[in-house]
Amino acid sequence: MHPFKPLLPLTTLLTLATAGPAAYGICQAGCSAVVVACYSGAGFTFGTVTAGVGVPAAIVACNSAYGTCQAACAAVLIAPTP
């Protein structure tokens, strides 16, 4: 009888590592740097424009890209790394 044989399938999980909070933080910092550059390119300062009817299309595009980038970072948080 092999007492550890039932645990053998679980050992395959030990070879994976999750990118985790460090990679997520790096990704978020990259997204923030890009959105600040996008706002600057449009002639605005990130964090000073409120949503409303008069928001320029460039700012809406920056915000949309920022949201997409943050969603990709969420995938980085849970993605396994070899």
Side-chain angles (χ1 to χ4, degrees):
M1 173 113 192
H2 297 282
F4 296 109
K5 196 169 186 176
L7 299 175
L8 188 59
L10 294 176
T11 60
T12 59
L13 298 174
L14 298 176
T15 61
L16 293 177
T18 304
Y24 179 73
I26 291 167
C27 187
Q28 287 291 328
C31 290
S32 296
V34 170
V35 77
V36 168
C38 185
Y39 266 66
S40 295
F44 292 89
T45 302
F46 182 66
T48 61
V49 179
T50 59
V53 178
V55 176
I59 298 302
V60 173
C62 289
N63 288 342
S64 177
Y66 186 50
T68 301
C69 187
Q70 288 182 331
C73 288
V76 168
L77 181 64
I78 59 172
T81 54

